Every structure is written in C-alpha cells, then in structure tokens.
Short mmCIF file of all heavy atoms in Angstrom, two decimals:
data_model
loop_
_atom_site.label_atom_id
_atom_site.label_comp_id
_atom_site.label_asym_id
_atom_site.label_seq_id
_atom_site.Cartn_x
_atom_site.Cartn_y
_atom_site.Cartn_z
N GLN A 80 1.39 2.25 3.25
CA GLN A 80 1.55 2.49 4.65
C GLN A 80 0.28 2.85 5.36
O GLN A 80 0.05 2.58 6.53
CB GLN A 80 2.55 3.63 4.92
CG GLN A 80 3.94 3.32 4.36
CD GLN A 80 4.52 1.94 4.64
OE1 GLN A 80 4.33 1.56 5.81
NE2 GLN A 80 5.25 1.44 3.83
N ASN A 81 -0.71 3.38 4.59
CA ASN A 81 -1.97 3.79 5.26
C ASN A 81 -3.18 3.08 4.72
O ASN A 81 -4.30 3.36 5.09
CB ASN A 81 -2.15 5.31 5.18
CG ASN A 81 -2.28 5.79 3.74
OD1 ASN A 81 -2.61 5.06 2.77
ND2 ASN A 81 -2.22 7.17 3.57
N LEU A 82 -2.99 2.10 3.80
CA LEU A 82 -4.17 1.33 3.26
C LEU A 82 -4.81 0.51 4.21
O LEU A 82 -4.17 -0.28 5.08
CB LEU A 82 -3.52 0.43 2.12
CG LEU A 82 -4.64 -0.38 1.47
CD1 LEU A 82 -5.76 0.38 0.82
CD2 LEU A 82 -3.96 -1.34 0.36
N GLN A 83 -6.16 0.55 4.27
CA GLN A 83 -6.94 -0.33 5.15
C GLN A 83 -7.79 -1.22 4.23
O GLN A 83 -8.40 -0.73 3.33
CB GLN A 83 -7.89 0.58 6.02
CG GLN A 83 -7.11 1.55 6.98
CD GLN A 83 -6.41 0.79 8.03
OE1 GLN A 83 -7.00 -0.08 8.70
NE2 GLN A 83 -5.11 1.10 8.19
N VAL A 84 -7.61 -2.52 4.53
CA VAL A 84 -8.43 -3.55 3.81
C VAL A 84 -9.56 -3.86 4.79
O VAL A 84 -9.77 -3.35 5.79
CB VAL A 84 -7.64 -4.64 3.38
CG1 VAL A 84 -6.65 -4.20 2.28
CG2 VAL A 84 -6.90 -5.34 4.53
N GLY A 85 -10.32 -4.95 4.45
CA GLY A 85 -11.39 -5.50 5.40
C GLY A 85 -10.87 -5.80 6.69
O GLY A 85 -9.70 -6.20 6.92
N LYS A 86 -11.78 -5.66 7.67
CA LYS A 86 -11.30 -5.81 9.07
C LYS A 86 -10.71 -7.15 9.40
O LYS A 86 -9.72 -7.25 10.07
CB LYS A 86 -12.57 -5.66 10.00
CG LYS A 86 -12.19 -5.71 11.43
CD LYS A 86 -13.51 -5.44 12.29
CE LYS A 86 -13.20 -5.64 13.71
NZ LYS A 86 -14.37 -5.34 14.60
N ASP A 87 -11.41 -8.21 8.81
CA ASP A 87 -10.84 -9.62 9.00
C ASP A 87 -9.49 -9.85 8.39
O ASP A 87 -8.70 -10.72 8.82
CB ASP A 87 -11.87 -10.63 8.55
CG ASP A 87 -13.15 -10.67 9.34
OD1 ASP A 87 -13.17 -10.07 10.41
OD2 ASP A 87 -14.16 -11.16 8.85
N LEU A 88 -9.17 -9.06 7.21
CA LEU A 88 -8.11 -9.36 6.55
C LEU A 88 -6.85 -8.38 6.87
O LEU A 88 -5.76 -8.49 6.39
CB LEU A 88 -8.29 -9.29 5.08
CG LEU A 88 -9.21 -10.43 4.55
CD1 LEU A 88 -9.52 -10.19 3.11
CD2 LEU A 88 -8.53 -11.72 4.66
N GLN A 89 -7.22 -7.27 7.74
CA GLN A 89 -6.20 -6.35 8.01
C GLN A 89 -4.94 -6.95 8.74
O GLN A 89 -3.75 -6.64 8.41
CB GLN A 89 -6.70 -5.21 8.82
CG GLN A 89 -5.89 -4.05 9.05
CD GLN A 89 -5.57 -3.35 7.71
OE1 GLN A 89 -6.54 -3.09 6.82
NE2 GLN A 89 -4.32 -2.84 7.39
N PRO A 90 -5.13 -7.94 9.59
CA PRO A 90 -3.92 -8.57 10.23
C PRO A 90 -3.08 -9.25 9.13
O PRO A 90 -1.79 -9.28 9.25
CB PRO A 90 -4.55 -9.57 11.25
CG PRO A 90 -5.89 -8.94 11.60
CD PRO A 90 -6.29 -8.41 10.27
N LEU A 91 -3.68 -9.90 8.23
CA LEU A 91 -2.86 -10.67 7.08
C LEU A 91 -2.12 -9.46 6.25
O LEU A 91 -0.94 -9.69 6.05
CB LEU A 91 -3.86 -11.32 6.19
CG LEU A 91 -3.21 -11.91 4.98
CD1 LEU A 91 -2.06 -12.98 5.40
CD2 LEU A 91 -4.27 -12.65 4.11
N TYR A 92 -2.82 -8.47 5.99
CA TYR A 92 -2.13 -7.31 5.25
C TYR A 92 -0.93 -6.83 6.04
O TYR A 92 0.08 -6.58 5.49
CB TYR A 92 -3.17 -6.15 5.03
CG TYR A 92 -2.55 -5.01 4.27
CD1 TYR A 92 -2.51 -4.80 2.97
CD2 TYR A 92 -1.97 -3.90 5.03
CE1 TYR A 92 -1.90 -3.79 2.36
CE2 TYR A 92 -1.35 -2.87 4.46
CZ TYR A 92 -1.30 -2.86 3.01
OH TYR A 92 -0.75 -1.74 2.39
N ASP A 93 -1.18 -6.49 7.38
CA ASP A 93 -0.13 -5.97 8.23
C ASP A 93 1.15 -6.88 8.23
O ASP A 93 2.24 -6.49 8.24
CB ASP A 93 -0.63 -5.69 9.59
CG ASP A 93 -1.65 -4.56 9.57
OD1 ASP A 93 -1.62 -3.77 8.55
OD2 ASP A 93 -2.40 -4.50 10.49
N TYR A 94 0.78 -8.20 8.36
CA TYR A 94 1.77 -9.26 8.38
C TYR A 94 2.74 -9.16 7.10
O TYR A 94 3.86 -9.15 7.14
CB TYR A 94 1.26 -10.63 8.63
CG TYR A 94 2.19 -11.70 8.28
CD1 TYR A 94 3.31 -11.97 9.09
CD2 TYR A 94 2.15 -12.42 7.10
CE1 TYR A 94 4.24 -12.98 8.83
CE2 TYR A 94 3.05 -13.46 6.81
CZ TYR A 94 4.09 -13.68 7.62
OH TYR A 94 4.95 -14.67 7.34
N LEU A 95 2.03 -9.22 5.98
CA LEU A 95 2.69 -9.23 4.66
C LEU A 95 3.48 -7.95 4.51
O LEU A 95 4.61 -8.02 3.91
CB LEU A 95 1.75 -9.42 3.51
CG LEU A 95 1.12 -10.82 3.45
CD1 LEU A 95 -0.01 -10.84 2.39
CD2 LEU A 95 2.11 -11.92 3.13
N ASN A 96 2.96 -6.80 4.89
CA ASN A 96 3.63 -5.55 4.84
C ASN A 96 4.85 -5.59 5.67
O ASN A 96 5.92 -5.04 5.24
CB ASN A 96 2.73 -4.37 5.11
CG ASN A 96 3.29 -3.07 4.85
OD1 ASN A 96 4.10 -2.89 4.00
ND2 ASN A 96 2.85 -2.00 5.57
N GLN A 97 4.82 -6.07 6.85
CA GLN A 97 5.89 -6.08 7.82
C GLN A 97 6.97 -6.97 7.32
O GLN A 97 8.24 -6.75 7.59
CB GLN A 97 5.44 -6.37 9.18
CG GLN A 97 4.61 -5.41 9.95
CD GLN A 97 3.86 -5.88 11.07
OE1 GLN A 97 4.10 -6.97 11.59
NE2 GLN A 97 2.95 -5.08 11.58
N ARG A 98 6.68 -8.10 6.67
CA ARG A 98 7.69 -8.92 6.17
C ARG A 98 8.41 -8.47 4.92
O ARG A 98 9.27 -9.13 4.36
CB ARG A 98 7.18 -10.40 6.05
CG ARG A 98 6.33 -10.53 4.78
CD ARG A 98 5.73 -11.93 4.61
NE ARG A 98 6.69 -12.93 4.42
CZ ARG A 98 7.04 -13.35 3.19
NH1 ARG A 98 6.52 -12.64 2.04
NH2 ARG A 98 7.86 -14.31 2.99
N GLY A 99 7.90 -7.40 4.43
CA GLY A 99 8.53 -6.83 3.15
C GLY A 99 7.96 -7.13 1.83
O GLY A 99 8.63 -7.00 0.83
N SER A 100 6.88 -7.88 1.88
CA SER A 100 6.17 -8.28 0.61
C SER A 100 5.79 -7.23 -0.16
O SER A 100 5.63 -7.26 -1.44
CB SER A 100 5.06 -9.32 0.86
OG SER A 100 5.50 -10.48 1.57
N PHE A 101 5.43 -6.10 0.40
CA PHE A 101 4.97 -4.75 -0.31
C PHE A 101 6.09 -3.76 -0.14
O PHE A 101 6.64 -3.44 0.87
CB PHE A 101 3.68 -4.29 0.32
CG PHE A 101 2.62 -5.25 0.47
CD1 PHE A 101 1.80 -5.20 1.64
CD2 PHE A 101 2.41 -6.26 -0.41
CE1 PHE A 101 0.79 -6.15 1.89
CE2 PHE A 101 1.36 -7.21 -0.29
CZ PHE A 101 0.58 -7.14 0.87
N VAL A 102 6.41 -3.21 -1.34
CA VAL A 102 7.37 -2.02 -1.47
C VAL A 102 6.63 -0.78 -1.77
O VAL A 102 5.99 -0.68 -2.82
CB VAL A 102 8.53 -2.35 -2.49
CG1 VAL A 102 9.40 -1.19 -2.47
CG2 VAL A 102 9.17 -3.65 -2.08
N ASP A 103 6.66 0.12 -0.85
CA ASP A 103 5.96 1.39 -1.07
C ASP A 103 6.80 2.22 -2.09
O ASP A 103 7.88 2.67 -1.80
CB ASP A 103 5.78 2.06 0.31
CG ASP A 103 5.02 3.41 0.23
OD1 ASP A 103 4.21 3.55 -0.82
OD2 ASP A 103 4.97 4.24 1.06
N LEU A 104 6.10 2.70 -3.16
CA LEU A 104 6.85 3.48 -4.04
C LEU A 104 6.67 4.96 -3.71
O LEU A 104 5.77 5.66 -4.36
CB LEU A 104 6.35 3.20 -5.56
CG LEU A 104 6.62 1.73 -6.07
CD1 LEU A 104 6.04 1.52 -7.52
CD2 LEU A 104 8.10 1.50 -6.06
N ASP A 105 7.37 5.40 -2.79
CA ASP A 105 7.18 6.78 -2.26
C ASP A 105 7.92 7.79 -3.10
O ASP A 105 8.00 8.99 -2.82
CB ASP A 105 7.68 6.85 -0.81
CG ASP A 105 9.10 6.34 -0.61
OD1 ASP A 105 9.79 5.93 -1.64
OD2 ASP A 105 9.57 6.28 0.54
N ASN A 106 8.61 7.22 -4.18
CA ASN A 106 9.34 8.21 -5.18
C ASN A 106 8.54 8.49 -6.34
O ASN A 106 9.04 8.84 -7.44
CB ASN A 106 10.65 7.47 -5.54
CG ASN A 106 10.44 6.07 -6.10
OD1 ASN A 106 9.43 5.43 -5.79
ND2 ASN A 106 11.36 5.57 -6.83
N TYR A 107 7.21 8.47 -6.18
CA TYR A 107 6.22 8.70 -7.29
C TYR A 107 6.15 10.19 -7.70
O TYR A 107 6.70 11.09 -6.96
CB TYR A 107 4.94 8.19 -6.94
CG TYR A 107 4.22 8.97 -5.89
CD1 TYR A 107 3.33 10.02 -6.16
CD2 TYR A 107 4.47 8.72 -4.43
CE1 TYR A 107 2.67 10.89 -5.11
CE2 TYR A 107 3.84 9.43 -3.53
CZ TYR A 107 2.91 10.36 -3.73
OH TYR A 107 2.33 11.18 -2.71
N THR A 108 5.63 10.45 -8.77
CA THR A 108 5.41 11.92 -9.22
C THR A 108 3.92 12.36 -8.85
O THR A 108 2.99 11.88 -9.42
CB THR A 108 5.62 11.96 -10.75
OG1 THR A 108 6.82 11.46 -11.15
CG2 THR A 108 5.40 13.42 -11.24
N PRO A 109 3.79 13.32 -7.91
CA PRO A 109 2.53 13.56 -7.37
C PRO A 109 1.48 14.10 -8.48
O PRO A 109 0.32 13.72 -8.46
CB PRO A 109 2.84 14.70 -6.48
CG PRO A 109 4.20 14.37 -5.91
CD PRO A 109 4.96 13.81 -7.13
N ASP A 110 2.05 14.76 -9.45
CA ASP A 110 1.17 15.39 -10.44
C ASP A 110 0.49 14.34 -11.35
O ASP A 110 -0.48 14.60 -12.10
CB ASP A 110 1.91 16.37 -11.40
CG ASP A 110 2.40 17.56 -10.67
OD1 ASP A 110 1.84 17.90 -9.57
OD2 ASP A 110 3.34 18.35 -11.22
N TYR A 111 1.08 13.12 -11.34
CA TYR A 111 0.54 12.07 -12.20
C TYR A 111 -0.74 11.31 -11.61
O TYR A 111 -1.40 10.62 -12.21
CB TYR A 111 1.62 11.07 -12.54
CG TYR A 111 2.68 11.59 -13.51
CD1 TYR A 111 3.84 10.86 -13.67
CD2 TYR A 111 2.48 12.68 -14.11
CE1 TYR A 111 4.85 11.26 -14.44
CE2 TYR A 111 3.57 13.20 -15.01
CZ TYR A 111 4.69 12.48 -15.21
OH TYR A 111 5.66 12.88 -16.03
N LEU A 112 -0.87 11.40 -10.22
CA LEU A 112 -1.81 10.70 -9.56
C LEU A 112 -3.29 10.85 -10.07
O LEU A 112 -4.05 9.87 -10.12
CB LEU A 112 -1.88 10.96 -8.08
CG LEU A 112 -0.56 10.39 -7.35
CD1 LEU A 112 -0.74 10.71 -5.87
CD2 LEU A 112 -0.39 8.93 -7.60
N PRO A 113 -3.76 12.06 -10.53
CA PRO A 113 -5.14 12.16 -11.00
C PRO A 113 -5.26 11.46 -12.42
O PRO A 113 -6.49 11.36 -12.76
CB PRO A 113 -5.25 13.59 -11.11
CG PRO A 113 -4.25 14.28 -10.30
CD PRO A 113 -3.01 13.28 -10.41
N ILE A 114 -4.26 11.06 -13.05
CA ILE A 114 -4.44 10.65 -14.41
C ILE A 114 -4.93 9.10 -14.47
O ILE A 114 -4.29 8.25 -13.78
CB ILE A 114 -3.03 10.68 -15.13
CG1 ILE A 114 -2.62 12.14 -15.33
CG2 ILE A 114 -3.16 10.12 -16.51
CD1 ILE A 114 -1.27 12.41 -15.82
N LEU A 115 -6.03 8.87 -15.24
CA LEU A 115 -6.51 7.62 -15.43
C LEU A 115 -6.63 7.23 -16.88
O LEU A 115 -7.14 8.12 -17.66
CB LEU A 115 -7.95 7.45 -14.71
CG LEU A 115 -8.02 7.75 -13.24
CD1 LEU A 115 -9.52 7.86 -12.74
CD2 LEU A 115 -7.24 6.79 -12.45
N SER A 116 -6.37 6.03 -17.23
CA SER A 116 -6.46 5.59 -18.63
C SER A 116 -7.86 5.86 -19.14
O SER A 116 -7.95 6.33 -20.31
CB SER A 116 -6.08 4.10 -18.86
OG SER A 116 -4.70 3.94 -18.68
#
C-alpha cells in the first residue's frame, strides 16, 4: 500500500495494485520482519 517505485513506473504499479494483481499480506508477524537469511 505504501511502496513507491520509479517515478515513470508508479502509474503502472498503481494500476496493477488497483486491479488486484497484488495482495497485501497484512496478516504478517511483525517480530519476524528483521530476520534475514
């Protein structure tokens, strides 16, 4: 919902997001976010 890509490509991103191509996994576990392989 708050991701910003390159200026020229932001309209494409917004279009794909609005059509439902991206599903935001807002049910994530916050404590896991700092973990990297």
Side-chain angles (χ1 to χ4, degrees):
Q80 304 307 327
N81 62 15
L82 176 61
Q83 296 294 306
V84 297
K86 182 179 178 181
D87 292 343
L88 293 174
Q89 192 66 43
L91 174 60
Y92 177 91
D93 293 339
Y94 163 73
L95 291 171
N96 190 24
Q97 289 166 11
R98 76 185 288 272
S100 297
F101 310 142
V102 178
D103 184 20
L104 296 180
D105 56 1
N106 51 341
Y107 67 97
T108 305
D110 290 346
Y111 291 166
L112 291 186
I114 297 174
L115 300 172
S116 288

